[in-house]
Amino acid sequence: MIVSYNLEAVGDTLIIVVAKGNSKEVSVVKKDNVACIIENETDQILGWNIFNASHHITNLNGNGQIELSSSQITELNLTLKEAGFSHEFEVDNSPKFVVGYVHTCTPHEDSDHLTVNDIEVDNGEHLQIVCGAPNIKAGLKVVVAKVGAMMPDGLIIWPGELRGVKSFGMVCSAKELHLPNAPKEKGILELDDSYEVGSRFNLPQ
């Protein structure tokens, strides 16, 4: 699940995204301070809004994607239960932005600028990621936004497909990460050897 909270920009509402919808037609079931968003075509739950969230969940703060502690998840589940919903959430605080290592970088067979990359991330996992950056190459350490990450501009990273090749994440530029003094030139952020492959990459607050 992808959880975001921004009191200044959105108000006291906790936004939870659990799936990517394929249709624009949705229904909203609202009970008390909880709203459940459901895709009409599939009856799949896409997300939840918890209104007046700070009255139900303690120590809420942030200005974008946040991680909920185990105690906050307990409070969230209690809020849903008291509102009459049976859904329960589990804690998942695995990092969504990590240091990756590009093992291989192969030209895309159906593109003159895309590459297909085998990138090692955390826990020894390897992801196939299609990238269009001109400076990507094997041997680089990079920042990977994994599936389930929310970019600083609000973009959510889902599994995708570019010109027939599946892609499971995004290799990020400094500008996309909203890092200070990000270069204007196009290209991914290249990390030096001081960064450990698989470690969490912290975004500026």
Side-chain angles (χ1 to χ4, degrees), residues 96-98 127 129 143-147 149 151 157 168-172 177:
K96 298 300 184 287
F97 292 89
V98 299
L127 299 176
I129 300 178
V143 179
V144 174
K146 299 176 65 178
V147 170
M151 300 298 293
I157 305 301
F168 301 94
M170 175 178 170
V171 186
C172 305
L177 296 170

Side-chain angles (χ1 to χ4, degrees), residues 96-147:
K96 298 300 184 287
F97 292 89
V98 299
V99 176
Y101 180 80
V102 183
H103 280 274
T104 62
C105 177
T106 306
H108 192 298
E109 292 184 354
D110 191 30
S111 171
D112 60 0
H113 72 284
L114 296 175
T115 57
V116 182
N117 303 275
D118 171 31
I119 302 180
E120 182 181 353
V121 287
D122 51 328
N123 300 315
E125 180 184 14
H126 284 242
L127 299 176
Q128 176 173 283
I129 300 178
V130 179
C131 180
N135 61 321
I136 192 166
K137 60 183 179 181
L140 285 184
K141 287 184 178 180
V142 297
V143 179
V144 174
K146 299 176 65 178
V147 170

